[in-house]
Structures are given as structure tokens and as C-alpha cells.
Amino acid sequence: MNMFAQKFSIHDFKGTWKHEHKETYEVWTRQNDSVLNGVSYKLQNGEKKISEKLKLQKLEDQIIYSAQVLNQNNAKWIDFELNNGVKDKLSFENTTHDFPNKIQYTFITKEKILVEVKDNNNQGFSFYIQKTKE
């Protein structure tokens, strides 16, 4: 396991994160020692519009990131496994999914993360999220 992943705890994600330049948020709450539940939503006219449900879970020596996009994949959960071979970032990967194949998090600080959403050819988009509260 790489040094970054060894120091990483799923609880590093706990809290409310705001996408830079958008009214889009991720909120991660602790279910137990090995599971965080998340939700992604947009604020529209003061109302929360949930777009996806998220889960981070530690299963033995593996960390799984799961996403349920409410209007895609028949609302099925899609799992992405942490690739321990990637250095200096958390790269959750599912090479058989249509898009994305990789969801990568680079902690700039404890309160700022670069999120990269990519296909198998490393094409995609990225954005920053900033922690707004614990």
C-alpha cells in the first residue's frame, strides 16, 4: 500500500464540502468505524436537490467508494476500488464501468481537495471542493 493511502482514513472525508464556483455540496457522515455515508446535492432556489448517494467503506484491507446516481444505471450502486498502486492521491477505480472509470481525490490540505473524474484514458474533468464544516 502506498504511503499516502496508509495515512488516509475514510474519516478524512467527514463533513460538508462545497464545490468551488458552484452551489454543489457533498456531505459525508459517519455510520460506524468503517463506513461513511455521503450525499451530493445542489442548492436551487434554497432547496436541496439530491443527485447521488455515496458510500466509503473499509472492508478488511480494501477501501470501496460506491455511488448511486439517482437518474442513471437504474439507480444501482456502482463500486470503485481503491488502487493502492497510485501515488499521492486516492484513485477509486472501476475499469468496466462506462463513465467514470476513476474518481481521484488529491488532498491539497485537510480542508481542500482536488477531485478528478476520468475515463480509462485519463480524460474527464476536475474541480476543487472546500470543507465548509466538520
Side-chain angles (χ1 to χ4, degrees):
M1 184 178 285
N2 72 51
M3 290 301 291
F4 182 78
Q6 284 179 336
K7 293 186 280 185
F8 166 73
S9 163
I10 62 171
H11 299 288
D12 293 342
F13 280 96
K14 199 171 115 211
T16 300
W17 300 82
K18 182 183 183 299
H19 291 228
E20 198 170 63
H21 310 300
K22 289 185 178 183
E23 287 300 313
T24 303
Y25 298 82
E26 285 184 19
V27 179
W28 291 92
T29 56
R30 181 180 183 270
Q31 178 178 319
N32 57 43
D33 284 346
S34 58
V35 178
L36 279 186
N37 291 315
V39 64
S40 179
Y41 67 89
K42 291 181 181 182
L43 275 184
Q44 295 177 328
N45 302 320
E47 286 188 43
K48 290 181 183 179
K49 302 285 184 186
I50 295 174
S51 58
E52 65 184 316
K53 294 179 182 178
L54 306 165
K55 185 178 287 192
L56 265 173
Q57 52 189 331
K58 186 167 176 32
L59 302 170
E60 295 177 20
D61 62 346
Q62 185 56 269
I63 297 174
I64 307 294
Y65 176 102
S66 303
Q68 179 190 42
V69 181
L70 301 183
N71 60 354
Q72 294 178 15
N73 304 308
N74 298 317
K76 290 182 184 168
W77 285 91
I78 305 299
D79 293 338
F80 298 82
E81 279 190 30
L82 179 64
N83 180 342
N84 290 315
V86 176
K87 306 293 181 215
D88 301 324
K89 65 176 74 175
L90 300 171
S91 186
F92 297 99
E93 301 180 10
N94 179 335
T95 57
T96 62
H97 185 54
D98 53 1
F99 183 87
N101 302 111
K102 300 174 186 175
I103 303 169
Q104 298 176 324
Y105 290 86
T106 304
F107 280 79
I108 308 303
T109 67
K110 286 187 179 280
E111 290 81 33
K112 187 174 186 176
I113 301 173
L114 172 63
V115 181
E116 298 169 278
V117 182
K118 300 177 178 178
D119 63 16
N120 283 324
N121 297 315
N122 289 319
Q123 300 299 307
F125 60 91
S126 64
F127 53 90
Y128 288 95
I129 56 176
Q130 186 82 34
K131 187 176 265 191
T132 62
K133 60 181 148 176
E134 226 15 82

